[in-house]
Amino acid sequence: MEWIGIDSQMAADAMMERLDGMHDWYVSGFSYDPLGRAGGTDLSLGRFKTETDSLVVGFRYDSESRDGVYPEFEMMFQEVYQLSFSSNRDPDPIYEATLRKSIQGVWIFADDSGLTDKEMDDERSCLGCFWVRCGAVFWRPLTFPDAEDW
């Protein structure tokens, strides 16, 4: 499935509504590639590259649907400025997530802790078990049952 770009707060809110605020989702895996979007043949890490990195995070719902499928989706964060991942509990579910564009125009994804007014004013102060500060966000469903199958 193609990546769906999040280009506005309305698109971010629609994604979160479709995922029920990400309640009871888990991080199922992630990969980070500093040259994920590098172009041409010059892929040397010895040369400074900007805005080429890509973080892909997989999420899985905690229960099977009626047809026996665990719903899964991925989010891709590009131009990653900061990232934090800490599993304080085993397993570490997400009870609620936030995706907001800060005053500075940077996307912030934060789990359970949400975003305070201070964090929205200065996104560098964000804390949480899983959060990302980035320039662009995309998502795509992988295994998504119909709504009536949940």
Side-chain angles (χ1 to χ4, degrees):
M1 177 164 271
E2 295 293 318
W3 289 102
I4 302 164
I6 303 293
D7 56 0
S8 67
Q9 189 60 55
M10 191 164 57
D13 293 345
M15 179 196 77
M16 286 299 190
E17 184 177 329
R18 181 171 182 196
L19 299 170
D20 193 26
M22 292 186 67
H23 181 72
D24 288 340
W25 290 84
Y26 291 83
V27 172
S28 60
F30 56 89
S31 66
Y32 175 78
D33 187 349
L35 295 173
R37 298 178 305 118
T41 58
D42 185 11
L43 301 179
S44 172
L45 282 173
R47 293 175 185 81
F48 185 69
K49 300 283 186 185
T50 60
E51 302 175 352
T52 60
D53 58 338
S54 182
L55 169 68
V56 177
V57 181
F59 296 93
R60 183 176 300 129
Y61 193 63
D62 77 339
S63 303
E64 290 180 350
S65 64
R66 289 187 190 105
D67 59 359
V69 172
Y70 281 97
E72 293 182 290
F73 76 98
E74 291 179 323
M75 289 181 78
M76 178 170 44
F77 304 94
Q78 295 179 347
E79 302 169 45
V80 177
Y81 304 118
Q82 285 182 304
L83 152 70
S84 174
F85 180 76
S86 171
S87 183
N88 294 325
R89 299 176 301 273
D90 187 22
D92 193 10
I94 295 172
Y95 296 111
E96 182 180 10
T98 304
L99 180 60
R100 293 276 181 257
K101 198 162 205 176
S102 74
I103 293 171
Q104 292 81 13
V106 174
W107 283 103
I108 303 169
F109 175 86
D111 74 348
D112 304 330
S113 60
L115 295 171
T116 66
D117 289 340
K118 181 179 189 268
E119 290 170 330
M120 283 305 296
D121 291 341
D122 180 12
E123 73 275 354
R124 292 167 294 184
S125 65
C126 291
L127 299 173
C129 291
F130 177 60
W131 59 267
V132 179
R133 210 169 57 93
C134 65
V137 180
F138 301 83
W139 80 289
R140 66 179 173 189
L142 297 177
T143 55
F144 242 71
D146 293 329
E148 60 270 5
D149 290 336
W150 283 64

